[in-house]
Amino acid sequence: MAERPKLLHFPEVLPRKSQFGERIRLRIVKGHNVGHGYCLTGHSIVIGRDEECDLPIEDEQASRRHVELVLKKNHYFARDLDSANGLFINQKRIKGEFLVPGDIFTVGGTTFEVIASGQQSIIAFEDNVMRPDVTEEEKSLKKNKMIIFIVFFLLVMIIFSGSENVLTFREKVRLSVLDEEESAKKIPKKKDRKKEIDVFVPKYDGSSSGFKSAQKFYREGMRELNSRNYRRAITAFETAQTVDPSHELSKVYLEIVKNRMESEVVSTYLAAQSAARALRYEEARMYYVSVLRLLEKDPDSEYYQKSTEAVEQIDEARERSK
């Protein structure tokens, strides 16, 4: 009996429907063979430069055996095989982590997009540059909007051009001078601009003993915030506040990152519910797990408890179906 392939390779377009035994999909979004897609079915898949790998890539920056995707509890765990250039998931270098749809991971100079089974990529490609995918309907709608805007603009110009008085050269010069005088009055003086800036920027003289340490944690929090590692950003900003309670910027960004994390928790939870209603339980489970990751330090949260119950129900249904 022939051994079932570990993955199915689609050089051009991924199929609309899930393939037999398919667990998840990958698509190259940067590097050689941009746009090539893969439906993963095997329990262990090695990616690297060596032709003997399950998914070989033409990439001099990649190691011969760079990363291994291991199936654990119906989810692929990406494990770095002590490669020279490391494994990056969502622009962060790590030794290993579970992959969920929407993740972007880099092997050498090749970047893959992780896609749920039976779904399509949300990224289009042009000259190795990732950009949002635009459908033909969206292009047509945008074109129609532009035509309507141009027609409306021309009608307005025709209507108002007939009612305008023709100005002499002397009148035009006089109006121009008056406009300049009015503009000069509106420009705030340097002192006024400084007062306006002070309203929005917290005052801080940096004279406290803990300023340098607080500033270090503040910068670390900003790096984590830009990488969307909200939990680590919160920890860094809270530490900055503990070291120096008068560090205003860490207090401001602490509130910002909390709001961003709350927004992402809600949107991810809603995506999980939507997938569950569509009977895409594996995809729903991945979204629920993402919510649990975001709220791992807040187990009393309503979203954490509901996501935990949903994951348990999906796992129980999976066990009963075996």
Side-chain angles (χ1 to χ4, degrees), residues 187-204:
I187 297 176
K189 297 179 181 179
K190 184 177 288 186
K191 290 183 179 179
D192 295 332
R193 288 200 300 270
K194 186 177 185 303
K195 289 180 180 178
E196 291 178 2
I197 293 172
D198 288 341
V199 172
F200 295 98
V201 179
K203 296 179 180 179
Y204 191 70

Side-chain angles (χ1 to χ4, degrees), residues 248-259:
E248 291 293 335
L249 282 177
S250 61
K251 185 185 300 183
V252 170
Y253 278 99
L254 179 60
E255 291 303 315
I256 291 174
V257 71
K258 284 182 178 180
N259 290 335

